[in-house]
Amino acid sequence: MTWPSQPRVTIKDVAARAGVSKGAVSLAFNHKPGLSEATRDRIFRAARELGWAPSLTARSLAGARVDVVGLAICRLARLLGLEPFYMEFVSGVESVLSERSCALLLRLVRTVEEEVGVQQTWWRGRRIGGAILVDFRPADPRVAAAQRLGMPVVAVGHPSFTGGLTSVWTDDATAVTQAVRYLAALGHRRIARVGGPAALGHTVMRTAAFDDASRALALAGAWQVTTDYSGEAGARATRSLLTAPAGERPTAIVYDNDIMAVAGLSVAAEMGLSVPGDVSLLAWDDSQLCRLTRPTLSAMSHDVHGFGAEVARALFEVIMGRVAGSHPVPTPVLVPRGSTAPPSG
């Protein structure tokens, strides 16, 4: 049996469907200025409906950049695979890239210096049209490196750490303050925080905000422990905090991610402590993990998928030479669940 052949969809077909010229379709897919966002979106929608994508080989031969966005992450592979935040973040980035027939080039690196070398190789080898930079540190060398290369980038981090780069960020300091005030309003006077790596910029901001909020509320006790975000480190930190005598240990713990909060819940059970009767737990980055535990975990929640999509959209604006400055996204909001309550004593 011979199947009837289907006519090949061309750029002319896309232009006709969108009601624009072939040149406008080319501008849209090469991320060039000269089109309104409404026109650009109409072209992408027409291309999706017709199942058309530009030939990357032809565009490369014509001298245009191949549509690939780079993302290097300085994390261990075994930890990244367990991190709900990055899985959601990457899915948000991909949702925007797929609309524009772009690909994501992902690389795990061991150090920031290694990442600088990787980004240079990608850019000078014309393998990417721009990059997303994450996990900023104070005096981060990637700021100067990106500016020196002239590479379009979007920095995921607070402007105080990202120099003059276009940045997309959440207000971590306000969110931490909100979390501490919430627990204090429940009556907790001894509160601990299990944080991420001390070198990361958002850890620095959260640490300072926790200290400031604790002093402002005159808490009887405030502890902070840094970790590597893993469940094992979160469990160790929780065990250390809860082995103090009942009248001296924290009655509430805030965790910098959901994996450590789930580990903390297991440690409390192993020690015969009830949650939230003996200790209240609060996670960062609300995920399915927080809603599947018993009791369910209270969390600082924000739309991580939408965050990733906003970062990708900002990068395309930078590539087209239209955006600079910082772009805050909505601050994480507190979602109370079964793991927080007033202290029993």
Side-chain angles (χ1 to χ4, degrees):
M1 178 178 179
T2 302
W3 295 98
S5 60
Q6 296 292 324
R8 188 170 70 89
V9 178
T10 67
I11 190 173
K12 183 178 178 180
D13 299 318
V14 175
R17 173 69 69 93
V20 298
S21 67
K22 291 193 296 182
V25 176
S26 180
L27 286 176
F29 277 91
N30 282 296
H31 314 296
K32 300 295 185 183
L35 298 175
S36 69
E37 282 306 306
T39 301
R40 198 177 301 275
D41 289 342
R42 192 165 72 250
I43 291 169
F44 290 142
R45 184 168 59 251
R48 287 196 304 273
E49 291 169 353
L50 293 172
W52 180 84
S55 165
L56 295 183
T57 301
R59 290 165 69 182
S60 183
L61 291 173
R65 277 200 298 266
V66 173
D67 286 325
V68 178
V69 168
L71 172 61
I73 303 176
C74 190
R75 298 283 178 91
L76 294 174
R78 64 180 181 84
L79 295 181
L80 189 68
L82 298 172
E83 182 71 71
F85 173 87
Y86 268 118
M87 298 303 101
E88 279 290 300
F89 178 80
V90 169
S91 75
V93 171
E94 285 279 14
S95 71
V96 174
L97 298 188
S98 63
E99 292 177 352
R100 292 159 168 78
S101 298
C102 292
L104 180 67
L105 180 57
L106 178 64
R107 174 80 172 267
L108 301 186
V109 296
R110 292 163 295 183
T111 65
V112 175
E113 290 72 25
E114 181 183 354
E115 180 181 344
V116 169
V118 167
Q119 300 284 8
Q120 288 177 344
T121 300
W122 284 349
W123 179 246
R124 289 171 177 165
R126 299 178 61 81
R127 297 183 63 188
I128 60 173
I132 296 168
L133 309 181
V134 299
D135 287 341
F136 271 78
R137 296 152 171 78
D140 199 298
R142 291 173 296 174
V143 174
Q147 292 170 335
R148 185 170 58 250
L149 285 171
M151 177 175 65
V153 301
V154 165
V156 180
H158 192 272
S160 61
F161 301 112
T162 59
L165 302 178
T166 294
S167 61
V168 181
W169 53 283
T170 57
D171 189 350
D172 287 9
T174 296
V176 167
T177 302
Q178 180 187 2
V180 176
R181 286 177 177 170
Y182 164 72
L183 294 170
L186 290 177
H188 293 280
R189 307 303 299 162
R190 300 190 303 275
I191 303 174
R193 171 176 161 265
V194 177
L200 295 180
H202 56 261
T203 300
V204 172
M205 295 195 71
R206 294 179 191 184
T207 299
F210 184 91
D211 282 340
D212 290 344
S214 301
R215 280 194 298 267
L217 294 165
L219 297 181
W223 300 262
Q224 298 201 71
V225 183
T226 57
T227 70
D228 62 3
Y229 284 133
S230 69
E232 293 86 348
R236 283 194 300 271
T238 304
R239 201 171 286 113
S240 174
L241 290 166
L242 296 181
T243 50
E248 300 174 16
R249 68 183 177 225
T251 60
I253 305 175
V254 180
Y255 295 86
D256 266 20
N257 73 359
D258 40 12
I259 294 176
M260 295 194 296
V262 172
L265 186 62
S266 297
V267 169
E270 137 198 329
M271 297 177 67
L273 300 174
S274 71
V275 176
D278 295 313
V279 60
S280 287
L281 307 181
L282 177 61
W284 199 283
D285 290 329
D286 193 13
S287 72
Q288 279 293 102
L289 286 178
C290 297
R291 296 183 285 277
L292 293 173
T293 60
R294 288 294 177 269
T296 51
L297 284 165
S298 297
M300 301 304 298
S301 179
H302 67 119
D303 182 3
V304 178
H305 178 93
F307 185 34
E310 182 63 26
V311 168
R313 283 191 288 267
L315 178 58
F316 284 116
E317 292 293 301
V318 173
I319 290 172
M320 291 185 288
R322 289 212 299 251
V323 166
S326 66
H327 304 269
V329 298
T331 301
V333 296
L334 196 146
V335 179
R337 296 199 183 97
S339 67
T340 51
S344 57

